[in-house]
Amino acid sequence: MRVALAQINTTVGDVWGNVEKAASALERALEDGADLVAFPELTITGYPPEDLLLRPDFIRANLEGLEEFAGRVPEGVIAAVGFVDLAGDLYNSCALVSGGEVLHRYHKHYLPNYGVFDENRYFREGEGVPVLSVDGSLAGVNVCEDIWYPGGPAREQALAGASVLINISASPYSRRKGLFRERMLAVRASDYGCYVFFCNLVGGQDELVFDGHSVAIDPQGRLLARARQFEEDLLVLDIHPEEALIHRLHDPRPRKENPGGSPVVVEGPSLIQKKPQEGIEPRVEELLPEEGEVLEALTLGLRDYFQKNGFSRAVLGLSGGVDSSLSAAIAARALGPENVTGVLLPSRYTSQGSNTDALALAKNLGIEVLEIPIEPAFSAYGEMLADAFRGLPEDVTEENLQSRIRGNVLMALSNKFGWILLSTGNKSEMSVGYSTLYGDSAGGFAVIKDVPKTLVYRICRHINETEGREVIPKSVLTKEPSAELREGQKDTDSLPPYEVLDPILEAYIEEDKGVGEIVAEGYDEEDVRRVVRMVDAAEYKRRQAPIGIKVTSRAFGRDRRMPITNRYRERRPKL
């Protein structure tokens, strides 16, 4: 049996565009002699369609799209494609299609309702566990979350005799998740004595990025094939289902288990008897290092956000710091340097070194540069507010004025030319509120919103290493971080060093650890309590920030949801 995993980049709501993309991938798979072709979860609608699912016309269009796609699948070939089924209620479904007909509609059982997922809001849980009979072999098809649990549909299909399990998925990316997912699938394959094929979505959708990384695992849990990360790909390989049976005959464990019900056997077509053809050597793509993964996720997320929404050009402020440098580098990669404008907005506190670094970065990237000094506006604001502020010392108000002037200028450029303003703040700053509302937090898209500061540095060094040149000037990576909003200012005036701050933030935000638990890991209690207070107090700021790409296990926004009005504070542990 020749199996193809069609790892495609769909667009939410573009039903007919998604159908054409799937049909094109199907055509390529047929040219490669595929017998069974799998597509991602909710291929027809795009994932996640969210409240589009509440519109009857959208559901009808999705069903018409499935019918159109089914008409493209010839006799003797089977396609497994994701769509939304309507059968008294809505179901996240996989259609088994052949010869222009839908052979079966599988309804997803396990509906994730955690993190970024809200599937219980829209779908009913499915019932019934079908196995597909193809030329004497049995195959089970299930959807995404159904294979993440040790029991459930995958187990029942295996106990019913399925030698092949096909999981169609839309599993969003977060750093270090890909290898964890591979290990989980390997355990399912070895426990059930089945081939496991995992076909994942690829592409960006608002805050989410889907990394592809489709895989095939053999009945002993060994990796057979791996598709590319963060790219569309068609992974084709040959298997021999009878080998799974031989493996099972030597493993008595499944005989001790209760199948839990009688599966529905769906009679599939006889596969087309093709002329003898050369076998396909399984392809195993190398995995990127963590910094490379995150860089590709950010690049893909930004590119798709622009392309899928019809935007063409980005503008961002260049401060000569590491955050704006990385944001500009990602924008140039994602959109092309000809579609990026960097703006220098120097004030009386901007060092010559910062201007030099910003200009050097722009030259290295090949992007357009504008320079608009903000001193005239800053002086004018001082005069305007002189009476109101009379007798009061300068403080953070005057610092924030500079940031807001910069935000105003950048938004004026965005307005005038139709460019999208990229906000350049990182996760560390956003976590503790080290940003200015309507200033540096202004923008249409926050490129590195979910990237901790220490990881920002690592990604910049990775770019320089892979490019073999100083894309990000070395001085940007070695100088002490500063907002340069007052004389001699350093980030450490307001924050612990980032090497201390980031692990505390990860423990508190991503792992939900309390103060006592974090202190027990070796961090200073005063630092921990200060950081926790800052995180809690900044929730109202984060709600007003632009969306950005999720790359950590718990991003702000649709992932981590905390009330703004919230009086809970952790009590001091009793000694």
Side-chain angles (χ1 to χ4, degrees), residues 16-193:
W16 303 109
N18 294 339
V19 167
E20 288 304 315
K21 178 161 281 198
S24 177
L26 173 69
E27 187 175 331
R28 296 196 306 274
L30 295 178
E31 290 172 358
D32 286 338
D35 301 304
L36 195 156
V37 187
F39 295 86
E41 180 179 10
L42 295 187
T43 293
I44 304 296
T45 61
Y47 188 94
E50 301 186 276
D51 279 10
L52 287 174
L53 292 166
L54 304 180
R55 300 183 180 181
D57 186 64
F58 178 70
I59 303 303
R60 287 192 293 269
N62 142 86
L63 294 172
E64 291 168 6
L66 174 64
E67 185 177 347
E68 170 67 23
F69 176 76
R72 311 283 189 95
V73 183
E75 290 280 357
V77 174
I78 302 166
V81 63
F83 77 109
V84 176
D85 198 14
L86 177 62
D89 205 340
L90 296 184
Y91 295 89
N92 184 338
S93 306
C94 175
L96 294 172
V97 181
S98 183
E101 296 182 2
V102 177
L103 306 177
H104 188 80
R105 299 168 185 237
Y106 171 86
H107 296 160
K108 184 176 181 178
H109 286 216
Y110 290 109
L111 302 177
N113 218 65
Y114 56 85
V116 301
F117 303 106
D118 288 302
E119 291 199 20
N120 280 335
R121 177 182 172 93
Y122 307 107
F123 300 117
R124 180 182 290 273
E125 293 179 359
E127 297 178 353
V129 183
V131 289
L132 178 69
S133 177
V134 184
D135 286 354
S137 297
L138 296 179
V141 178
N142 47 68
V143 179
C144 199
E145 197 84 357
D146 289 341
I147 206 166
W148 282 82
Y149 293 84
R155 172 184 172 274
E156 292 183 40
Q157 289 166 336
L159 291 176
S163 56
V164 176
L165 294 176
I166 298 164
N167 180 268
I168 66 168
S169 189
S171 180
Y173 170 77
S174 61
R175 58 185 178 138
R176 299 188 289 266
K177 182 178 179 181
L179 274 177
F180 175 81
R181 196 167 53 205
E182 271 194 23
R183 288 196 295 270
M184 178 275 295
L185 294 167
V187 170
R188 298 292 174 271
S190 60
D191 277 356
Y192 302 151

Side-chain angles (χ1 to χ4, degrees), residues 101-427:
E101 296 182 2
V102 177
L103 306 177
H104 188 80
R105 299 168 185 237
Y106 171 86
H107 296 160
K108 184 176 181 178
H109 286 216
Y110 290 109
L111 302 177
N113 218 65
Y114 56 85
V116 301
F117 303 106
D118 288 302
E119 291 199 20
N120 280 335
R121 177 182 172 93
Y122 307 107
F123 300 117
R124 180 182 290 273
E125 293 179 359
E127 297 178 353
V129 183
V131 289
L132 178 69
S133 177
V134 184
D135 286 354
S137 297
L138 296 179
V141 178
N142 47 68
V143 179
C144 199
E145 197 84 357
D146 289 341
I147 206 166
W148 282 82
Y149 293 84
R155 172 184 172 274
E156 292 183 40
Q157 289 166 336
L159 291 176
S163 56
V164 176
L165 294 176
I166 298 164
N167 180 268
I168 66 168
S169 189
S171 180
Y173 170 77
S174 61
R175 58 185 178 138
R176 299 188 289 266
K177 182 178 179 181
L179 274 177
F180 175 81
R181 196 167 53 205
E182 271 194 23
R183 288 196 295 270
M184 178 275 295
L185 294 167
V187 170
R188 298 292 174 271
S190 60
D191 277 356
Y192 302 151
C194 295
Y195 287 97
V196 169
F197 292 94
F198 169 81
C199 183
N200 196 27
L201 181 65
V202 69
Q205 172 60 32
D206 295 344
E207 305 102 311
L208 301 180
V209 170
F210 300 89
D211 57 320
H213 193 160
S214 301
V215 294
I217 313 286
D218 79 3
Q220 296 182 63
R222 298 175 301 196
L223 181 69
L224 283 177
R226 180 195 290 132
R228 299 185 186 95
Q229 296 172 281
F230 307 104
E231 295 180 41
E232 288 191 311
D233 200 2
L234 184 68
L235 190 64
V236 183
L237 71 157
D238 294 325
I239 63 164
H240 302 281
E242 62 274 13
E243 291 183 3
L245 174 61
I246 295 170
H247 178 77
R248 283 185 187 171
L249 293 176
H250 291 84
D251 184 356
R253 290 177 300 166
R255 298 171 187 154
K256 308 290 186 184
E257 297 193 57
N258 181 0
S262 300
V264 175
V265 178
V266 179
E267 290 297 330
S270 294
L271 302 179
I272 296 173
Q273 297 300 314
K274 307 179 185 72
K275 295 179 180 179
Q277 53 189 335
E278 292 184 7
I280 293 180
E281 188 70 24
R283 171 165 55 91
V284 179
E285 297 290 342
E286 287 190 20
L287 293 178
L288 296 164
E290 183 181 343
E291 298 85 356
E293 271 192 0
V294 176
L295 177 61
E296 292 301 328
L298 297 171
T299 302
L300 176 58
L302 180 60
R303 179 186 299 127
D304 272 9
Y305 188 75
F306 267 60
Q307 290 183 353
K308 292 180 180 182
N309 287 290
F311 305 137
S312 59
R313 192 177 181 93
V315 62
L316 74 165
L318 294 182
S319 68
V322 69
D323 297 323
S324 64
S325 296
L326 178 58
S327 299
I330 292 166
R333 284 168 55 92
L335 310 175
E338 70 279 6
N339 292 314
V340 180
T341 296
V343 186
L344 278 65
L345 297 152
S347 76
R348 66 184 69 170
Y349 301 115
T350 303
S351 67
Q352 184 56 46
S354 293
N355 284 334
T356 300
D357 288 339
L359 290 170
L361 172 82
K363 182 179 179 181
N364 294 347
L365 296 176
I367 65 175
E368 180 188 39
V369 177
L370 300 176
E371 184 167 349
I372 305 174
I374 67 166
E375 185 59 36
F378 187 38
S379 297
Y381 267 101
E383 293 176 12
M384 288 166 54
L385 294 165
D387 288 342
F389 289 176
R390 190 176 305 280
L392 299 175
E394 289 192 0
D395 57 15
V396 71
T397 306
E398 283 74 18
E399 294 179 28
N400 287 339
L401 269 176
Q402 297 165 73
S403 183
R404 292 188 174 115
I405 291 167
R406 289 181 172 123
N408 204 350
V409 172
L410 290 167
M411 282 305 303
L413 294 170
S414 171
N415 245 174
K416 181 64 71 176
F417 300 109
W419 301 339
I420 299 300
L421 173 58
L422 302 181
S423 172
T424 62
N426 61 64
K427 186 171 189 175

